[in-house]
Amino acid sequence: MSDDLSLGDAAKALGVSADTLRRWDASGRIATTRDERNRRRVPRAEITRLSPSPERHRTGDGLSARNRFPGTVLSVEVDGVMAVVEIEAGPHRITSVVTRDAVEELGLVPGMPATATVKSTSVMVERGAEG
């Protein structure tokens, strides 16, 4: 039952009213269960099945970027007002060009944990994968 949602939460997740879900339940369009107080509960699998698009992961805080790669700083190269920071995040190596001020404010040094946060209006996808 822990994966079941209340009728109101299920309606919100699907973008419909609770009355619509009651009608769907009566017509067999959605499968519901009943709790010990005889209230309708909607299994999460039904929400997934009926959702027009997959649920996206949440950012988790006040930052809008959703692509976060926690890892370890491999190197920090400062030259003038700019710096190149390399982070190893799992099997990936992420390189970022940031200001010297940012490196100093964050105290970035090799070996420390850091998260590369990526927000881009242009992400290219290539067919196949090369290691």
Side-chain angles (χ1 to χ4, degrees):
M1 173 118 29
S2 63
D3 280 348
D4 292 353
L5 299 170
S6 70
L7 199 65
D9 288 342
K12 183 176 179 183
L14 290 169
V16 298
S17 70
D19 285 338
T20 295
L21 285 187
R22 286 185 195 94
R23 285 192 298 277
W24 288 2
D25 185 26
S27 71
R29 182 171 176 192
I30 191 169
T32 63
T33 60
R34 297 283 182 151
D35 67 11
E36 65 281 351
R37 296 172 73 187
N38 203 32
R39 294 176 298 196
R40 282 185 181 92
R41 304 290 295 178
V42 180
R44 193 165 298 279
E46 285 293 276
I47 303 300
T48 302
R49 183 179 69 82
L50 293 167
S51 291
S53 62
E55 184 176 338
R56 304 286 183 221
H57 60 280
R58 306 274 184 221
T59 62
D61 62 27
L63 189 62
S64 65
R66 296 180 189 280
N67 303 305
R68 296 185 177 164
F69 304 93
T72 304
V73 175
L74 289 179
S75 66
V76 179
E77 298 174 31
V78 178
D79 184 21
V81 297
M82 299 305 293
V84 176
V85 178
E86 247 186 346
I87 296 175
E88 183 177 51
H92 307 288
R93 187 171 289 196
I94 300 164
T95 304
S96 179
V97 177
V98 298
T99 64
R100 170 191 286 261
D101 289 345
V103 167
E104 292 172 358
E105 286 175 25
L106 294 171
L108 296 177
V109 295
M112 75 179 294
T115 299
T117 303
V118 179
K119 181 161 181 150
S120 176
T121 57
S122 176
V123 175
M124 270 120 313
V125 176
E126 182 178 354
R127 197 171 119 168
E130 291 186 28

